[in-house]
Amino acid sequence: MQWETVIGLEIHVQLATDSKIFSGASTAYGANPNTQACAVDLGLPGVLPVLNKDAVRMAAMFGLAVGANVAERSVFDRKNYFYPDSPKGYQISQLEFPIVEHGTLDIVLGDGSRKTIGITRAHLEEDAGKSLHEEFPDSTGIDLNRCGTPLIEIVSEPDMRTAEEAVAYMKKIHSIVRYLGISDGNMQEGSFRCDANVSIRPKGQEEFGTRTETKNLNSFRFVERAINHEVERQIDVLEEGGRIVQETRLYDANKDETRSMRSKEEANDYRYFPDPDLLPVIIEPEFIEELRKQLPELPTEKIIRFKKDYDLSEYDAENLAMSKETAEYFEEVARVSKEKADSKALPKIYKLAANWVLGDLSAALHQDGLEIENSPVSASMLAGLLGRIEDNTISSKIAKEVFQAMWSGEGDVDVIIEAKGLKQITDSGEIEALVEQVVNDNPGQVEQYRSGKDKVFGFFVGQVMKLSKGKANPKQVNDLLKEKLK
Amino acid sequence: MHELSVSQLVDGLRNGEFSSVELTQCFVDRMQKFNDLNAFITELSERALLQAAHADKLIKDNQHSLLTGVPIAHKDIFCMHGVKTSCGSKMLDNFIAPYDATVVEKLDQAGCVTIGRTNMDEFAMGSSNESSYYGTVKNPWNKDRVPGGSSGGSAAAVAARIAPLATGTDTGGSIRQPAALCGITGLKPTYGRVSRFGMIAYASSLDQGGPFGKSAEDCAYMLQAMAGFDEKDSTSLDKPVPEYTQLLNASLHDSLKGKVIGVPEEYFSEGLSADVKRVIENAIAWYEQQGCEIKSISLPNTKLAIPAYYVIAPAECSSNLSRFDGVRYGYRCDEPQDLRDLYDRSRSEGFGDEVKRRIMIGTYALSAGYYDAYYLKAQQIRRLISEDFKKAFEQVDVILGPTTPEPAFKIGEKTADPVTMYLSDIYTISINLAGVPAMSVPCGFVNDQQSDLPVGMQLIGNYFEEEKLLNFAHQYQLDTDWHKKSPSGFE
């Protein structure tokens, strides 16, 4: 049987507010346990929550960025459950009246095709603390530093059909929250995590199959692997005549498998009710209009502009715009180039810049585990390198050597070319001499070429380049060789 | 000194007739002398005398505030920095609050001297003070009787002249009912008038702190210091606080003539003791003699108030009390076997029966499948009750009726039957559901089994019209002396 996968994601995003959603304690990551938990976070008797307006602003910004309705009135509810890292015995969340509803997001897949994914809702809530099981034998440590950190939980429609789509959607959300500056999106620190709802159904069937929810996926790779595993597992179960149980599952990255946490029957009754300590959140239309004006350029608009302004391909534009910092780096390269280079040369430089940022630079960053903001080769250094490629001072091949030298901190492009004597040979007399030497040294190959074996031409080019230590201008070598071999 | 009004105390302190240390010593002595009433959970005598010495210095330096040097007692529900704050429960018997409730802070700033922490029903759940982990408080008028609840310790302390002022909280009548049963004056302000920050929550949407005093004038002084917006309480209202004390004096010239008093027929039907009814009718007659128009009105949804309250308040309480889990502070059972055992035994052993009963009712009412039938329905009733009051206040200035259906009952009389106990709040509960202000004012006595027991009338006002209530009560007290009577043995 042909199966179709149906995926919906719930993404938890920690908001980058200075203080917590209902208290004045700091949200900074990495402090000693329980040093950033005040009386409100500890759930002491008599304390009351006071809503952080900045969290509301950030959630509303997200809503605007995905074309959603930002509710004029939203309501906080209590989700009641006992757990040691939930000090009040309830989490303050939003159930019936979330702050954001009905958004959409476009994703682009590997084959260049586009798809629109629906966003059902995004609501504000507080994060829980952490239970530390490993450090303490026979007991559990509780760290309440994270307790009360503001979150938005973004719930998608069940619109995704493959793990690839799910990852593309998750990356796009990640990109948007970073663009908006409402989250650092740091997945290792848990600022951005995802639960995946997965079900399968026979292809062509309208109604959904029974779904499972896989919890706490904190990397793009885990999401992809967890979904693929879950799909395989569900297919196996159904094809062996079994039935899928609605349940919560946990992805174990070490074993690379999902396993059951609890079934629907064991699920908690959270006894939600409106939190009487908090008034409904009223957002005036003027506030929304003000926020709309403050919205930064988002990936979708940036892609359109990149294609137009820099004449980039869809693929290049999409990939450059995915990360705000990468896009900023690229635009800085473009800006510096525009100041220095001839305007006729710019289209070629822009194309080169896209290739270098997404290619060599990205690979080097990845290898050294660096973020682009901390690249040893700054945007203006890279612009200098591209200028020297464009004006034929160096070939693309030599450029890679120069780039490595720049990466190791040996200086700017011109310093390195000079020091290493890498300047391209463009003097036609000098090249002609090299060409003549190669032609004279290889009479056999000359014979072959002249008798119609065109492929041998590459051999001559190689020999000349070798003789010039890679510095001869390849175009001139080509032209002169063709003439000599006539 | 213990019979003086707050304004007399303030004047006496400022004129040097007595010092705050002398005054505080007088009340501290009485606190110790009458400790058989069990009105206090914690006595703060030494601390109070230090505070009093400081107050004397401020007065001497002419740096005094509204109530500098005046003793007060705090209900053990208001967190007080460095002081045990038990809320009448074993659960918090070991809890030393690390911060001040806003009410405590404000009264401190106004210059009050705190002599002790008063007994109360456990987590403010009760109408007789019998649910306290620290034992029942005795009514100064008759020690076999309850003082009312949940603020029974505060009411008994003021009635026995152990403290001139005391704080209370009122979720369904917990200020007004004990004020009535102890023959003193108590005010529950409009919801949102007084900050709830640091006041241990029972039912957040109903809880409201307020003053106990001998008279309306005393309450006006105290409310002046307590009331006001607090950025730490999102449900407190950002509305300027009127000058209650000055308005009270100005209103001496503001005749009651032509004012309209609504008398709700539902408050005089079955269940009201004939003796209490007669006393209330006398009070109504007094207002009529002053030229007030007495108008019979209807609050048709009154009978729904108790069922609605006993869904909403337990629902909120079941959630509010979840934080008492034995993990971070408060009572923890011995040698828990695992997490579940820790929760189960800490809560089973730490909470008393009435608290457990309400947690269970509330948990049930919020459960999946029952939420609509109980919680939502109760909220609809709550809106109807608010509408009743809104309509009534389109026609009347204040509403007048009994505070309780009968005078103080005997200790142990109602503990076996919670529903009978719940009915003692029948006239007070709807006021909390609507959120309007109300006060209880002493207006006479009834004789029950050879015992004279005080009766309170309830004055109910429109939202934020505390000054109108205070004026109605003050005028009455200028012409009557019910509020000046003290129980025998405590003169």
mmCIF file of all heavy atoms in Angstrom, chain B residues 4-38:
data_model
loop_
_atom_site.group_PDB
_atom_site.id
_atom_site.type_symbol
_atom_site.label_atom_id
_atom_site.label_comp_id
_atom_site.label_asym_id
_atom_site.label_seq_id
_atom_site.Cartn_x
_atom_site.Cartn_y
_atom_site.Cartn_z
ATOM 1 N N LEU B 4 -9.970 53.973 73.660
ATOM 2 C CA LEU B 4 -9.922 55.182 72.824
ATOM 3 C C LEU B 4 -10.098 54.857 71.339
ATOM 4 O O LEU B 4 -9.714 53.785 70.881
ATOM 5 C CB LEU B 4 -8.596 55.918 73.023
ATOM 6 C CG LEU B 4 -8.312 56.442 74.440
ATOM 7 C CD1 LEU B 4 -6.933 57.104 74.480
ATOM 8 C CD2 LEU B 4 -9.396 57.424 74.881
ATOM 9 N N SER B 5 -10.664 55.807 70.633
ATOM 10 C CA SER B 5 -10.800 55.645 69.184
ATOM 11 C C SER B 5 -9.443 55.941 68.530
ATOM 12 O O SER B 5 -8.540 56.494 69.166
ATOM 13 C CB SER B 5 -11.848 56.619 68.641
ATOM 14 O OG SER B 5 -11.318 57.939 68.655
ATOM 15 N N VAL B 6 -9.317 55.572 67.275
ATOM 16 C CA VAL B 6 -8.047 55.791 66.572
ATOM 17 C C VAL B 6 -7.715 57.269 66.508
ATOM 18 O O VAL B 6 -6.568 57.679 66.722
ATOM 19 C CB VAL B 6 -8.071 55.160 65.164
ATOM 20 C CG1 VAL B 6 -6.873 55.606 64.333
ATOM 21 C CG2 VAL B 6 -8.095 53.638 65.270
ATOM 22 N N SER B 7 -8.727 58.108 66.268
ATOM 23 C CA SER B 7 -8.412 59.538 66.168
ATOM 24 C C SER B 7 -7.964 60.074 67.542
ATOM 25 O O SER B 7 -7.076 60.919 67.617
ATOM 26 C CB SER B 7 -9.591 60.326 65.594
ATOM 27 O OG SER B 7 -10.495 60.703 66.587
ATOM 28 N N GLN B 8 -8.548 59.519 68.616
ATOM 29 C CA GLN B 8 -8.090 59.921 69.958
ATOM 30 C C GLN B 8 -6.670 59.424 70.217
ATOM 31 O O GLN B 8 -5.865 60.118 70.834
ATOM 32 C CB GLN B 8 -9.043 59.364 71.023
ATOM 33 C CG GLN B 8 -10.390 60.081 71.053
ATOM 34 C CD GLN B 8 -11.422 59.337 71.904
ATOM 35 O OE1 GLN B 8 -11.425 58.112 71.954
ATOM 36 N NE2 GLN B 8 -12.290 60.085 72.566
ATOM 37 N N LEU B 9 -6.372 58.219 69.744
ATOM 38 C CA LEU B 9 -5.012 57.690 69.923
ATOM 39 C C LEU B 9 -4.001 58.546 69.182
ATOM 40 O O LEU B 9 -2.941 58.911 69.709
ATOM 41 C CB LEU B 9 -4.925 56.239 69.419
ATOM 42 C CG LEU B 9 -5.682 55.174 70.220
ATOM 43 C CD1 LEU B 9 -5.565 53.817 69.535
ATOM 44 C CD2 LEU B 9 -5.157 55.091 71.655
ATOM 45 N N VAL B 10 -4.354 58.890 67.938
ATOM 46 C CA VAL B 10 -3.453 59.703 67.122
ATOM 47 C C VAL B 10 -3.212 61.051 67.797
ATOM 48 O O VAL B 10 -2.067 61.501 67.930
ATOM 49 C CB VAL B 10 -4.038 59.874 65.696
ATOM 50 C CG1 VAL B 10 -3.313 60.966 64.928
ATOM 51 C CG2 VAL B 10 -3.973 58.543 64.930
ATOM 52 N N ASP B 11 -4.303 61.676 68.253
ATOM 53 C CA ASP B 11 -4.164 62.981 68.918
ATOM 54 C C ASP B 11 -3.356 62.856 70.208
ATOM 55 O O ASP B 11 -2.472 63.684 70.479
ATOM 56 C CB ASP B 11 -5.556 63.564 69.247
ATOM 57 C CG ASP B 11 -6.266 64.019 67.989
ATOM 58 O OD1 ASP B 11 -5.586 64.115 66.934
ATOM 59 O OD2 ASP B 11 -7.488 64.270 68.047
ATOM 60 N N GLY B 12 -3.677 61.841 71.019
ATOM 61 C CA GLY B 12 -2.985 61.651 72.297
ATOM 62 C C GLY B 12 -1.491 61.459 72.108
ATOM 63 O O GLY B 12 -0.688 61.989 72.880
ATOM 64 N N LEU B 13 -1.122 60.706 71.070
ATOM 65 C CA LEU B 13 0.304 60.469 70.785
ATOM 66 C C LEU B 13 0.982 61.768 70.376
ATOM 67 O O LEU B 13 2.059 62.107 70.853
ATOM 68 C CB LEU B 13 0.458 59.422 69.672
ATOM 69 C CG LEU B 13 0.200 57.960 70.072
ATOM 70 C CD1 LEU B 13 0.004 57.086 68.843
ATOM 71 C CD2 LEU B 13 1.364 57.426 70.915
ATOM 72 N N ARG B 14 0.316 62.498 69.496
ATOM 73 C CA ARG B 14 0.939 63.725 68.974
ATOM 74 C C ARG B 14 0.996 64.819 70.046
ATOM 75 O O ARG B 14 1.914 65.626 70.064
ATOM 76 C CB ARG B 14 0.180 64.218 67.750
ATOM 77 C CG ARG B 14 0.416 63.257 66.585
ATOM 78 C CD ARG B 14 -0.195 63.716 65.295
ATOM 79 N NE ARG B 14 -0.226 62.567 64.382
ATOM 80 C CZ ARG B 14 -0.863 62.562 63.246
ATOM 81 N NH1 ARG B 14 -1.538 63.619 62.848
ATOM 82 N NH2 ARG B 14 -0.832 61.490 62.483
ATOM 83 N N ASN B 15 -0.014 64.817 70.949
ATOM 84 C CA ASN B 15 -0.026 65.844 72.003
ATOM 85 C C ASN B 15 0.815 65.448 73.201
ATOM 86 O O ASN B 15 0.870 66.181 74.194
ATOM 87 C CB ASN B 15 -1.458 66.129 72.458
ATOM 88 C CG ASN B 15 -2.301 66.648 71.300
ATOM 89 O OD1 ASN B 15 -1.757 67.222 70.352
ATOM 90 N ND2 ASN B 15 -3.601 66.428 71.365
ATOM 91 N N GLY B 16 1.423 64.260 73.137
ATOM 92 C CA GLY B 16 2.291 63.836 74.225
ATOM 93 C C GLY B 16 1.548 63.369 75.462
ATOM 94 O O GLY B 16 2.120 63.266 76.539
ATOM 95 N N GLU B 17 0.240 63.066 75.319
ATOM 96 C CA GLU B 17 -0.513 62.565 76.481
ATOM 97 C C GLU B 17 -0.011 61.185 76.893
ATOM 98 O O GLU B 17 -0.035 60.822 78.047
ATOM 99 C CB GLU B 17 -2.009 62.497 76.162
ATOM 100 C CG GLU B 17 -2.639 63.871 75.995
ATOM 101 C CD GLU B 17 -3.996 63.799 75.318
ATOM 102 O OE1 GLU B 17 -4.729 62.819 75.554
ATOM 103 O OE2 GLU B 17 -4.315 64.712 74.520
ATOM 104 N N PHE B 18 0.399 60.398 75.924
ATOM 105 C CA PHE B 18 1.022 59.100 76.193
ATOM 106 C C PHE B 18 1.954 58.795 75.033
ATOM 107 O O PHE B 18 1.826 59.363 73.953
ATOM 108 C CB PHE B 18 -0.030 57.984 76.364
ATOM 109 C CG PHE B 18 -1.151 58.039 75.353
ATOM 110 C CD1 PHE B 18 -0.980 57.522 74.079
ATOM 111 C CD2 PHE B 18 -2.382 58.620 75.699
ATOM 112 C CE1 PHE B 18 -2.017 57.574 73.166
ATOM 113 C CE2 PHE B 18 -3.416 58.681 74.767
ATOM 114 C CZ PHE B 18 -3.239 58.161 73.498
ATOM 115 N N SER B 19 2.893 57.912 75.302
ATOM 116 C CA SER B 19 3.842 57.547 74.230
ATOM 117 C C SER B 19 3.359 56.275 73.556
ATOM 118 O O SER B 19 2.500 55.553 74.083
ATOM 119 C CB SER B 19 5.221 57.308 74.828
ATOM 120 O OG SER B 19 5.192 56.127 75.597
ATOM 121 N N SER B 20 3.928 56.014 72.424
ATOM 122 C CA SER B 20 3.577 54.780 71.716
ATOM 123 C C SER B 20 4.052 53.571 72.512
ATOM 124 O O SER B 20 3.403 52.524 72.500
ATOM 125 C CB SER B 20 4.187 54.778 70.308
ATOM 126 O OG SER B 20 3.885 53.562 69.652
ATOM 127 N N VAL B 21 5.184 53.717 73.198
ATOM 128 C CA VAL B 21 5.669 52.607 74.022
ATOM 129 C C VAL B 21 4.666 52.290 75.126
ATOM 130 O O VAL B 21 4.315 51.129 75.348
ATOM 131 C CB VAL B 21 7.067 52.927 74.613
ATOM 132 C CG1 VAL B 21 7.462 51.894 75.673
ATOM 133 C CG2 VAL B 21 8.112 52.979 73.505
ATOM 134 N N GLU B 22 4.145 53.330 75.777
ATOM 135 C CA GLU B 22 3.129 53.111 76.824
ATOM 136 C C GLU B 22 1.878 52.453 76.247
ATOM 137 O O GLU B 22 1.338 51.500 76.803
ATOM 138 C CB GLU B 22 2.741 54.446 77.471
ATOM 139 C CG GLU B 22 3.810 55.019 78.384
ATOM 140 C CD GLU B 22 3.554 56.481 78.776
ATOM 141 O OE1 GLU B 22 3.016 57.249 77.940
ATOM 142 O OE2 GLU B 22 3.888 56.840 79.907
ATOM 143 N N LEU B 23 1.476 53.002 75.135
ATOM 144 C CA LEU B 23 0.270 52.505 74.473
ATOM 145 C C LEU B 23 0.452 51.035 74.059
ATOM 146 O O LEU B 23 -0.405 50.185 74.308
ATOM 147 C CB LEU B 23 0.002 53.373 73.229
ATOM 148 C CG LEU B 23 -1.279 53.140 72.452
ATOM 149 C CD1 LEU B 23 -2.497 53.445 73.323
ATOM 150 C CD2 LEU B 23 -1.303 54.031 71.204
ATOM 151 N N THR B 24 1.585 50.768 73.428
ATOM 152 C CA THR B 24 1.864 49.417 72.945
ATOM 153 C C THR B 24 1.961 48.450 74.125
ATOM 154 O O THR B 24 1.423 47.337 74.072
ATOM 155 C CB THR B 24 3.172 49.417 72.126
ATOM 156 O OG1 THR B 24 3.021 50.340 71.044
ATOM 157 C CG2 THR B 24 3.472 48.032 71.567
ATOM 158 N N GLN B 25 2.603 48.908 75.211
ATOM 159 C CA GLN B 25 2.720 48.061 76.410
ATOM 160 C C GLN B 25 1.336 47.699 76.946
ATOM 161 O O GLN B 25 1.089 46.547 77.323
ATOM 162 C CB GLN B 25 3.534 48.803 77.488
ATOM 163 C CG GLN B 25 3.912 47.921 78.672
ATOM 164 C CD GLN B 25 4.871 46.804 78.276
ATOM 165 O OE1 GLN B 25 5.944 47.064 77.749
ATOM 166 N NE2 GLN B 25 4.484 45.551 78.507
ATOM 167 N N CYS B 26 0.442 48.657 76.902
ATOM 168 C CA CYS B 26 -0.938 48.425 77.362
ATOM 169 C C CYS B 26 -1.589 47.299 76.563
ATOM 170 O O CYS B 26 -2.172 46.375 77.120
ATOM 171 C CB CYS B 26 -1.729 49.733 77.241
ATOM 172 S SG CYS B 26 -3.505 49.516 77.193
ATOM 173 N N PHE B 27 -1.453 47.376 75.242
ATOM 174 C CA PHE B 27 -2.084 46.350 74.411
ATOM 175 C C PHE B 27 -1.345 45.009 74.484
ATOM 176 O O PHE B 27 -1.969 43.953 74.456
ATOM 177 C CB PHE B 27 -2.211 46.837 72.955
ATOM 178 C CG PHE B 27 -3.297 47.862 72.783
ATOM 179 C CD1 PHE B 27 -3.007 49.194 72.543
ATOM 180 C CD2 PHE B 27 -4.632 47.483 72.897
ATOM 181 C CE1 PHE B 27 -4.017 50.146 72.392
ATOM 182 C CE2 PHE B 27 -5.653 48.421 72.752
ATOM 183 C CZ PHE B 27 -5.344 49.753 72.500
ATOM 184 N N VAL B 28 -0.033 45.077 74.571
ATOM 185 C CA VAL B 28 0.750 43.841 74.708
ATOM 186 C C VAL B 28 0.362 43.128 76.014
ATOM 187 O O VAL B 28 0.175 41.909 76.029
ATOM 188 C CB VAL B 28 2.262 44.169 74.660
ATOM 189 C CG1 VAL B 28 3.089 43.020 75.238
ATOM 190 C CG2 VAL B 28 2.701 44.457 73.223
ATOM 191 N N ASP B 29 0.182 43.913 77.084
ATOM 192 C CA ASP B 29 -0.240 43.322 78.360
ATOM 193 C C ASP B 29 -1.591 42.629 78.210
ATOM 194 O O ASP B 29 -1.803 41.534 78.726
ATOM 195 C CB ASP B 29 -0.333 44.401 79.448
ATOM 196 C CG ASP B 29 1.047 44.896 79.878
ATOM 197 O OD1 ASP B 29 2.045 44.224 79.534
ATOM 198 O OD2 ASP B 29 1.124 45.963 80.537
ATOM 199 N N ARG B 30 -2.483 43.308 77.508
ATOM 200 C CA ARG B 30 -3.816 42.733 77.309
ATOM 201 C C ARG B 30 -3.726 41.465 76.446
ATOM 202 O O ARG B 30 -4.436 40.484 76.675
ATOM 203 C CB ARG B 30 -4.763 43.758 76.671
ATOM 204 C CG ARG B 30 -5.114 44.912 77.595
ATOM 205 C CD ARG B 30 -6.045 45.924 76.942
ATOM 206 N NE ARG B 30 -7.396 45.413 76.714
ATOM 207 C CZ ARG B 30 -8.358 45.378 77.643
ATOM 208 N NH1 ARG B 30 -8.126 45.822 78.878
ATOM 209 N NH2 ARG B 30 -9.559 44.910 77.344
ATOM 210 N N MET B 31 -2.836 41.501 75.465
ATOM 211 C CA MET B 31 -2.665 40.326 74.589
ATOM 212 C C MET B 31 -2.257 39.119 75.442
ATOM 213 O O MET B 31 -2.772 38.016 75.257
ATOM 214 C CB MET B 31 -1.614 40.629 73.522
ATOM 215 C CG MET B 31 -1.243 39.454 72.624
ATOM 216 S SD MET B 31 -0.359 40.007 71.138
ATOM 217 C CE MET B 31 1.197 40.543 71.831
ATOM 218 N N GLN B 32 -1.361 39.380 76.387
ATOM 219 C CA GLN B 32 -0.891 38.276 77.232
ATOM 220 C C GLN B 32 -1.950 37.888 78.279
ATOM 221 O O GLN B 32 -2.190 36.708 78.519
ATOM 222 C CB GLN B 32 0.444 38.645 77.873
ATOM 223 C CG GLN B 32 1.586 38.478 76.864
ATOM 224 C CD GLN B 32 2.790 39.365 77.108
ATOM 225 O OE1 GLN B 32 2.881 40.024 78.135
ATOM 226 N NE2 GLN B 32 3.703 39.378 76.156
ATOM 227 N N LYS B 33 -2.608 38.894 78.809
ATOM 228 C CA LYS B 33 -3.629 38.650 79.837
ATOM 229 C C LYS B 33 -4.785 37.815 79.292
ATOM 230 O O LYS B 33 -5.304 36.929 79.977
ATOM 231 C CB LYS B 33 -4.135 40.002 80.353
ATOM 232 C CG LYS B 33 -5.123 39.889 81.490
ATOM 233 C CD LYS B 33 -5.509 41.286 81.996
ATOM 234 C CE LYS B 33 -6.672 41.203 82.970
ATOM 235 N NZ LYS B 33 -7.249 42.540 83.213
ATOM 236 N N PHE B 34 -5.159 38.106 78.054
ATOM 237 C CA PHE B 34 -6.338 37.427 77.497
ATOM 238 C C PHE B 34 -5.957 36.336 76.482
ATOM 239 O O PHE B 34 -6.675 36.097 75.518
ATOM 240 C CB PHE B 34 -7.270 38.452 76.835
ATOM 241 C CG PHE B 34 -7.750 39.507 77.781
ATOM 242 C CD1 PHE B 34 -7.548 40.854 77.511
ATOM 243 C CD2 PHE B 34 -8.402 39.150 78.964
ATOM 244 C CE1 PHE B 34 -7.990 41.835 78.395
ATOM 245 C CE2 PHE B 34 -8.849 40.133 79.846
ATOM 246 C CZ PHE B 34 -8.642 41.480 79.573
ATOM 247 N N ASN B 35 -4.812 35.714 76.733
ATOM 248 C CA ASN B 35 -4.380 34.735 75.725
ATOM 249 C C ASN B 35 -5.258 33.478 75.708
ATOM 250 O O ASN B 35 -5.161 32.669 74.795
ATOM 251 C CB ASN B 35 -2.888 34.400 75.857
ATOM 252 C CG ASN B 35 -2.574 33.710 77.167
ATOM 253 O OD1 ASN B 35 -3.473 33.350 77.915
ATOM 254 N ND2 ASN B 35 -1.288 33.535 77.442
ATOM 255 N N ASP B 36 -6.153 33.359 76.716
ATOM 256 C CA ASP B 36 -7.076 32.214 76.669
ATOM 257 C C ASP B 36 -8.071 32.316 75.515
ATOM 258 O O ASP B 36 -8.684 31.342 75.137
ATOM 259 C CB ASP B 36 -7.824 32.085 78.002
ATOM 260 C CG ASP B 36 -8.732 33.280 78.252
ATOM 261 O OD1 ASP B 36 -8.284 34.421 77.994
ATOM 262 O OD2 ASP B 36 -9.895 33.065 78.662
ATOM 263 N N LEU B 37 -8.203 33.518 74.935
ATOM 264 C CA LEU B 37 -9.070 33.665 73.754
ATOM 265 C C LEU B 37 -8.470 32.961 72.538
ATOM 266 O O LEU B 37 -9.161 32.647 71.597
ATOM 267 C CB LEU B 37 -9.265 35.151 73.413
ATOM 268 C CG LEU B 37 -10.130 36.002 74.323
ATOM 269 C CD1 LEU B 37 -10.137 37.445 73.814
ATOM 270 C CD2 LEU B 37 -11.561 35.458 74.384
ATOM 271 N N ASN B 38 -7.154 32.753 72.568
ATOM 272 C CA ASN B 38 -6.439 32.103 71.454
ATOM 273 C C ASN B 38 -6.538 32.928 70.165
ATOM 274 O O ASN B 38 -6.600 32.389 69.073
ATOM 275 C CB ASN B 38 -6.985 30.688 71.243
ATOM 276 C CG ASN B 38 -6.028 29.830 70.437
ATOM 277 O OD1 ASN B 38 -4.817 30.062 70.424
ATOM 278 N ND2 ASN B 38 -6.569 28.846 69.743
#
